[in-house]
Every structure is written in structure tokens, then in C-alpha cells.
Amino acid sequence: MADNNGAFPKLVMDISPATQRAAPSVASPLAQRVENRLREVLAWRPRSGDARSFVAALNQAFTIRDVAGHTEWEWTPRSYAIQADMGAVTGAQASIYARARAALDQSRPLIEAVYPLRSDADKEDAESIRTLVLAQWQELVSELGRVGGPRLQRIEGLFDSLLGKDFAVDDNHETVGGLLGVMRERFGFDEDRVNRIDEEQNWTNYLILVDHTIGLKRSWTTLQRYFDNTGTDVFLGTQLVLLSRALDVITESVHSARILMDSVFLSEGEQQIVRLNSGLTIDDLLAWIESFCSQEAKQIIRDAGKDGVVALQPTLDTLLDLVGNARMQAEGDAENPQPGFHTLRVKNALLELEQHITQAAELASQIRRGALRVTGVFPATIDVTERKPVLNITVDGTGFEPGATVRLIKLNGEEKVVTVEQVLVLSKTRLLMILDTQVLASLNAGEWSLIVINPDSEESDPYDIDIRAGRGEPPAVERKVVILTVKPDHGGPGDKLGVDVFGMGFEQGMHADFGAGIITSATEFVDENTLKVTLAIDGSAAPGLRDVAVWPSTTRPSAGHFPSAQAVVGGPLAVLTNGFTVDEPDKGEPPGARKLVLTEARLLNRTAKQPESAVKAVWQDLSSDEPRVSKSDGVDGIELVFSRNLDSEIKWNEAVKVWKEGVPNALSVTPMLAALENTVTLATSNNFSPGTYKVALDPEQIKATDGSVLAEAVSLTFHISSR
């Protein structure tokens, strides 16, 4: 303490909260007293000219009710001040709070109405336990509605008080402990004591009270993860209250730092001219932090909500770095920039400011726009004991974006970080992590954390996984061939189809096989991720699931299909188990009874041969998504894939109408060369210039070779930007 005071043992000015927040001109004592009283009554920090916040604070602090023909105002005291127009009770908290209030409204008359069934019950003991149960219920509801979120330990304590510390989810009125258990014993709530209807109603009231309490406890168990202040499972309303408080604390810390600097003869004037290693003056840095936290940040949040919070994070990170550098400079032995800057008082003030900015940055980082989250990994335990050349790991979650990578971090023992760049994002909720020989060689047994990183640098919270690893040298690097999916993935006996096989590691000359009863007449290599297969399903093919296999170019099919995997050394390069289905045959239905279906539609750049751009903008016929594609993708065609082979006489200019927004007449449609008999690619005269397009398919005009017609009219929309 003596070292902290040093040559400056005493402060000689008032540093009350009101003084710290005062404007440069000194406020009168009366104005300070009014401001302090407003803070006490409204739990609000007054700001000149901010009527909106003042009204919000009044509405939070006072409740208006009409009672017996007159108006009554009820003041709800709070022990803290918040920014009244930032944050609210929302999301999971609002849900459980509403349920708790409704349960209390129903339980209060039950608690007050129940009476002992025991003839020897002590009246005073019964009243005391009744009072305690009601009081604990009221405290529970009040805590659940606490602005800023309930305190977990407080809620758990209240439930322990009502239900007992040993409460289990399958407990009931006969086994529940706590105050409700004491009430059961003192009141004699036992079915054996029930004799009359009114006694059974009394006993039923107790059962309802217990059910309300247990139901609320179960809801809390489900939702409490939203209130532990960790991870990204947070709701905007509750989180903004906490963030508002953190920003206000930072502002107060800046005022404290200025006062402490002044106390060591680092005056306001010197703060404006003394420069830090960052190039900013001390005043530049403190004024930036103060204006940002007290005005700019809150205005951005009020105007932009969640997007605003996300936008604040880079600035908070920058301020944190600058304050951290200033603190390290103050801890140095040199007297630059000024001797008073190196005193322990200033060091501690900067350390406190750094800690508060860190807290605010953590609160802001918990609010994310895309809610990037990992919810599961399959297999749950990754076994690399056999040192296979490649392992495919499925990761489930939310918010995955194309181009995401995965980072694996060792949790115990040696520090190790392994980045997995071979990641295929299948959807926003699932990705495939491909561990090749190099990655597998870097993994050892133990507990690891898995983090998904989107292209915009957003990171998921760590997800813990176990890795089992053995000894031994990894095998030589082999080509990694993976089949992910096929489209379409089914067909009926007698059908001739064009099927896209999607995966990784494909090469020129590879062949696809769809199993017994399916003849593959051609396999076209598009790129390392796509094979186009022409196949025919025999009319006598047995219905059911088929494995899809990709074979090397050195293995040739015999009679349209490959031998079994055991008959060829090395077998297929990749197999998708149950990847294709042969449908049940039609039971003597006349031609035209089988429906033709649009199975897929995509924007395409055939001239540039960029199927990856096409896949990026895929439509599904039942999807509500409207692709938005930049002009740089080179869209020059619409590819339509149907469930059956198409009639060669279709007049596509009449069957498909394309309108561009702002153009009164339909655009002329010209069919381009179709690679497959069930696929057609259409182009327009203007080659799809930037704009919004509507595509409509006429079911009367589109027919298959077997006479079936398009099942229903289809309408699609897409956008092309001018970028």
C-alpha cells in the first residue's frame, strides 16, 4: 500500500461518482444532488437531452395500476443502474420468467388455501412453512426476471430450498424434499388421510403446487445454459444489459485514470501532449475510449442491434491492444514519456481499464450473427490407431460457411495446434473434415478441442473430442477418393438416367458402378469433385438399396458393371453405402401415370466449365431460397435435371418462359447441347445480364419418353448482381 501511495500519499479532491462523470464545467451542488437522487430512484445514469432513455427508465422503475377508481404507482427499487433503453428480458429468460409468473399467480391462492389434514397439526408450524414456501416462490420469480439475467447460484439455491438438494427429475409429491416436503409432513398430505371431497380438493391443491414447482425446475434445467455467461448461447436483450454495464464501467475507469494521473502531476495539459509508443497522446487514447463507450457504441447498438454489436468488436479489440501497450510502457523503467506515468497508481489504473475492456470485448463476442456452433462429431472418438491413409469425420452444428477450416487443439500435455484445411461444407449444419496422412501423423492420443473457423474469421466455441492413437509409421500417401452424394439418388426399373456423383479426389478415366441390375454406359469426368454417369436400370432389377462405387481407370467394367470388390485386387477406390435406390416397379399403370419431376435446377457456366460455381447456386425444386449470383460467376445457362429421360420433340421456347424484371416480354430461350438425356441446358439472347429473373415451367409442354408429364408447374427466381 505504501508503494502504491509513494510520493503522493493523499488525494485532495472529491472523486464521488457524480464528480467522475461531471462535464468539464463544474456542476452545482444542487445539480449533483438531483442527479444522485435520479440514479437512486430510476437506476439510470442521466444524460443531458436524452428524453428517450429517461422515459424508458420511468417505465422500468414504476408500475401504474387502476385500483378502486384511482391510479396507484408502484416503485420497483433496483440495486444497480443500467442504460434503460438498452437491453431487456427476452429469449429464454422471457420464456421461463413468463411461465414462473403464471405459475406463481396460480400457486399463490393454493398456498394460502391449503390446510392441514392432520388432526394433531400445529397451527403456528403450518403457518410458518406456508409463509416460507410463498416467500421462496416470490424470490424465485423475482430472480428469474432480473434484468441482466438470473444468477445461477441464486436460482439453484431457491430450488434446493423448495425441492431439496437431492431432487431428481423423477421425483413427485411423495418423494420431494425441501420446504415442500416439510409442508407435506406438517400438513399431513397423504392419500390415506383423504376421506371427503373437500379434503381431496385440499390434497389436490398441494399436488398442483408441487407440479408447478417441479415443472419450473425442469424448464430451468433445460434453459440454464443460456445464463452461464459462457459460449454464444446468449440472447440479445439480456446480453445488452450486461454489455451496457461493462461500457459504463469502462467510462468510469477512464475518469478514475485521469484523476489518478492528475494526482501524480500528470496534468490534463500534459496528457494532451505526452505521446505513447503507439503514437497517440495519453489524452487521445483516453478520450477515444470515453467517447466510444459512453456514446458511439451505445448509439450503434440502438440503431443496428445485433449487427451493431458485431461491428463494435474490432474497435474494442483495437482499444484493448492500445491500453495493453500503454500499461506495458508504464511498467517500464524509463521515465519516458513522463515520470508520473510510471508510478504504481497509473499502472494499476491502466491495468484496471484493460481488464474492463477485456470483459466488454468478451461480452460482445458472445453475440454472433450466424450463431456458428458445433453440436456433434461422428464418430465421437476418432481412432487413428491403424494409421489409415484418410479418415472422414462428420461435424454437425450451425452457421457453417463454404471455405470453413477446422482447428484441433491439444488440451493436456504438450501444446499442439493442428489445422485441417481439407473441409467440405455439405450444408450450414454439416461439414466433412478429411484427415489425410499428414494430419493423422500430427495427432496423438488424448483430449482435443475442435474449432470451426468460417472464412470471415468467426470461430465456434471449442468442442471437446477424444483421439485414440497408436504407434507405428504412417503408410505411403495414397490418393484420397471420397463419394459424398449422388443426384438423383433413385430410379425405377426400365429408367435411363443421368446421375451426378459428387465427392473428392476424382480423376480422368475413373468409372462409377451402381450395383446389380444397373448398367453404367458412360462416366464423364467433370472435375475432381464431380462425375457425370449415364446409366440404365434393367426392367427386372430388384428394388432396394445399392452401393455406389468409384473404380480406378485400370479396372474396366464387364457387361456394364464391375465384379465384386473381392474379385479385384485393391477393390474400388471409394464406396457410398446405400447411395442409390431402385424404386418399386409400377403395377401395370398406363403410360403417363408415372409423373415426371424436376429434381434439380442450377445456374451454370458451361463455357468456362465451372461446376463449382454451379453447385454454389443450386436450386432444389421445393426450396424457398433464391440464389444471388455475382456477374463474375459467368452465368450463361440454366440447367434443368428431370427424373426421367425427356422427349426429344419438346419445344423449349414454349415450355420454359424466362422474364427479366423491368422487361415486359419473355426472353427468347434457346436449348444448348444437353450432356444427358434427362438434362437440358437453356440460354437466353442476352446471356443473363445483371438483374432479377423469373423462370416458369409449363407442365403441359414438358414430357418424358415414356409419356409421363411434368407433375406440376414450377416457378424459380434468381438474382445476378453487377459485380
Side-chain angles (χ1 to χ4, degrees):
M1 189 67 183
D3 187 31
N4 190 23
N5 290 332
F8 313 98
K10 293 182 180 180
L11 292 174
V12 292
M13 63 180 294
D14 179 16
I15 56 170
S16 64
T19 303
Q20 292 184 42
R21 287 184 302 279
S25 59
V26 180
S28 67
L30 179 59
Q32 291 184 9
R33 291 174 62 183
V34 171
E35 179 179 321
N36 290 338
R37 293 301 174 267
L38 284 173
R39 285 169 50 84
E40 292 174 5
V41 175
L42 300 181
W44 170 68
R45 293 183 171 85
R47 295 201 306 270
S48 176
D50 193 352
R52 176 181 174 185
S53 296
F54 179 62
V55 173
L58 284 174
N59 290 332
Q60 288 187 4
F62 291 94
T63 303
I64 309 173
R65 286 199 298 262
D66 289 330
V67 179
H70 67 280
T71 301
E72 290 187 358
W73 300 73
E74 182 180 354
W75 175 48
T76 304
R78 300 180 185 272
S79 59
Y80 51 84
I82 66 168
Q83 199 61 50
D85 57 340
M86 287 182 59
V89 176
T90 60
Q93 185 182 3
S95 172
I96 195 170
Y97 178 49
R99 177 172 181 178
R101 285 197 306 174
L104 177 60
D105 292 341
Q106 297 175 23
S107 299
R108 188 194 304 272
L110 301 180
I111 297 173
E112 295 172 347
V114 293
Y115 58 86
L117 295 179
R118 295 180 54 167
S119 59
D120 60 343
D122 184 283
K123 183 177 179 180
E124 291 185 357
D125 287 347
E127 288 303 316
S128 65
I129 198 65
R130 186 200 311 274
T131 302
L132 283 173
V133 170
L134 181 58
Q136 294 297 84
W137 252 101
Q138 290 172 332
E139 287 297 320
L140 180 61
V141 174
S142 177
E143 184 68 22
L144 288 173
R146 180 174 178 266
V147 177
R151 294 161 289 199
L152 270 67
Q153 298 83 352
R154 175 64 171 154
I155 295 294
E156 291 295 335
L158 290 169
F159 275 123
D160 288 346
S161 176
L162 287 168
L163 300 172
K165 291 186 177 181
D166 298 327
F167 171 78
V169 292
D170 57 349
D171 277 349
N172 54 38
H173 66 280
E174 295 179 347
T175 58
V176 71
L179 293 176
L180 292 176
V182 175
M183 174 179 276
R184 180 185 63 241
E185 298 300 326
R186 292 187 182 180
F187 280 66
F189 287 132
D190 190 336
E191 189 174 7
D192 293 338
R193 298 178 185 273
V194 175
N195 187 41
R196 302 189 308 272
I197 292 295
D198 61 315
E199 291 176 341
E200 185 173 64
Q201 182 61 54
N202 183 44
W203 178 57
T204 302
N205 290 341
Y206 171 74
L207 298 183
I208 295 174
L209 172 62
V210 174
D211 287 343
H212 278 320
T213 311
I214 292 177
L216 192 62
K217 168 64 174 177
R218 289 170 178 164
S219 296
W220 168 255
T221 301
T222 302
L223 298 175
Q224 65 176 335
R225 64 188 176 91
Y226 294 108
F227 309 111
D228 59 7
N229 295 324
T230 61
T232 57
D233 287 333
V234 297
F235 286 91
L236 184 62
T238 302
Q239 197 73 1
L240 286 188
V241 174
L242 302 177
L243 184 57
S244 174
R245 295 175 186 169
L247 293 173
D248 286 334
V249 169
I250 293 174
T251 303
E252 292 180 356
S253 296
V254 170
H255 288 294
S256 299
R258 288 189 183 278
I259 292 170
L260 291 172
M261 289 180 186
D262 189 62
S263 72
V264 295
F265 305 115
L266 185 55
S267 65
E268 182 178 352
E270 287 181 292
Q271 293 174 28
Q272 294 175 351
I273 61 173
V274 173
R275 294 197 175 275
L276 303 171
N277 291 340
S278 62
L280 299 174
T281 66
I282 298 175
D283 182 73
D284 287 341
L285 177 58
L286 296 181
W288 182 7
I289 297 172
E290 182 178 1
S291 63
F292 178 77
C293 293
S294 63
Q295 299 176 21
E296 181 183 346
K298 295 182 179 181
Q299 187 63 46
I300 291 175
I301 294 173
R302 281 194 292 267
D303 293 344
K306 183 178 290 188
D307 288 335
V309 178
V310 174
L312 296 180
Q313 295 174 21
T315 304
L316 286 172
D317 292 339
T318 299
L319 294 176
L320 181 60
D321 290 340
L322 292 172
V323 173
N325 291 335
R327 174 187 56 78
M328 289 188 289
Q329 185 177 351
E331 291 174 348
D333 296 331
E335 294 187 352
N336 180 48
Q338 199 261 12
F341 184 72
H342 298 274
T343 59
L344 192 57
R345 284 184 185 177
V346 174
K347 296 175 187 177
N348 288 342
L350 292 174
L351 176 61
E352 176 185 331
L353 182 58
E354 183 181 10
Q355 292 171 340
H356 291 319
I357 297 176
T358 299
Q359 183 183 23
E362 290 175 351
L363 290 171
S365 67
Q366 290 176 306
I367 299 177
R368 297 181 179 178
R369 188 66 184 172
L372 177 60
R373 184 182 303 116
V374 176
T375 58
V377 175
F378 180 82
T381 299
I382 301 176
D383 189 350
V384 296
T385 303
E386 299 179 6
R387 293 292 187 181
K388 297 179 180 179
V390 63
L391 279 180
N392 299 324
I393 308 299
T394 301
V395 180
D396 291 332
T398 59
F400 300 152
E401 298 292 342
T405 57
V406 173
R407 181 186 302 146
L408 300 174
I409 303 174
K410 191 77 172 354
L411 294 180
N412 44 38
E414 60 177 318
E415 293 186 3
K416 180 178 286 189
V417 177
V418 178
T419 300
V420 182
E421 296 183 351
Q422 294 194 64
V423 175
L424 188 61
V425 178
L426 305 178
S427 67
K428 286 188 175 293
T429 59
R430 175 165 292 183
L431 60 80
L432 190 69
M433 177 175 64
I434 301 173
L435 307 181
D436 59 17
T437 304
Q438 183 177 359
V439 173
L440 292 173
S442 304
L443 302 177
N444 50 15
E447 296 180 353
W448 292 68
S449 278
L450 182 149
I451 299 173
V452 176
I453 308 168
N454 274 339
D456 61 359
S457 299
E458 180 185 9
E459 297 185 4
S460 69
D461 291 328
Y463 186 90
D464 294 343
I465 60 174
D466 291 327
I467 292 181
R468 287 201 302 243
R471 303 178 181 274
E473 295 299 323
V477 177
E478 300 179 21
R479 164 159 287 278
K480 302 172 292 296
V481 180
V482 180
I483 304 175
L484 297 174
T485 187
V486 299
K487 292 184 179 181
D489 60 359
H490 66 94
D495 286 348
K496 294 182 179 180
L497 299 175
V499 177
D500 289 337
V501 179
F502 297 105
M504 302 182 68
F506 298 150
E507 285 185 345
Q508 188 77 37
M510 288 183 178
H511 306 281
D513 177 42
F514 283 69
I518 303 178
I519 306 299
T520 55
S521 58
T523 300
E524 176 190 352
F525 171 76
V526 178
D527 61 18
E528 65 176 7
N529 302 117
T530 310
L531 297 175
K532 286 185 176 292
V533 181
T534 303
L535 57 82
I537 304 176
D538 191 272
S540 60
L545 298 171
R546 301 288 196 280
D547 293 345
V548 179
V550 170
W551 293 77
S553 57
T554 54
T555 305
R556 296 292 176 181
S558 175
H561 62 84
F562 291 87
S564 64
Q566 292 78 8
V568 179
V569 177
L573 297 172
V575 176
L576 179 63
T577 304
N578 298 336
F580 189 83
T581 303
V582 176
D583 299 331
E584 293 285 347
D586 295 323
K587 306 297 183 179
E589 295 175 343
R594 302 169 70 189
K595 293 297 184 180
L596 180 67
V597 178
L598 177 68
T599 60
E600 190 176 348
R602 63 168 72 104
L603 304 178
L604 191 65
N605 185 333
R606 291 183 62 86
T607 57
K609 287 284 185 182
Q610 294 179 344
E612 66 275 8
S613 298
V615 172
K616 182 171 59 179
V618 168
W619 293 311
Q620 294 293 345
D621 57 320
L622 298 180
S623 174
S624 61
D625 294 336
E626 296 182 356
R628 184 177 298 276
V629 184
S630 67
K631 188 178 179 182
S632 61
D633 287 327
V635 177
D636 61 11
I638 303 173
E639 186 173 79
L640 305 175
V641 182
F642 296 87
S643 59
R644 306 192 187 284
N645 290 348
L646 300 170
D647 190 328
S648 60
E649 301 300 323
I650 296 175
K651 297 180 179 179
W652 289 104
N653 200 40
E654 299 178 5
V656 179
K657 299 294 185 182
V658 180
W659 287 272
K660 182 180 180 183
E661 189 177 86
V663 178
N665 299 322
L667 306 178
S668 176
V669 174
T670 303
M672 299 169 67
L673 179 62
L676 301 170
E677 294 177 342
N678 66 328
T679 304
V680 64
T681 303
L682 306 173
T684 68
S685 56
N686 68 346
N687 197 26
F688 295 102
S689 58
T692 299
Y693 292 83
K694 195 82 168 181
V695 183
L697 278 64
D698 184 354
E700 298 298 327
Q701 301 289 337
I702 302 178
K703 296 181 180 180
T705 53
D706 62 2
S708 60
V709 296
L710 191 62
E712 59 183 355
V714 178
S715 178
L716 305 168
T717 302
F718 66 92
H719 312 272
I720 298 180
S721 69
S722 57
R723 292 185 292 106

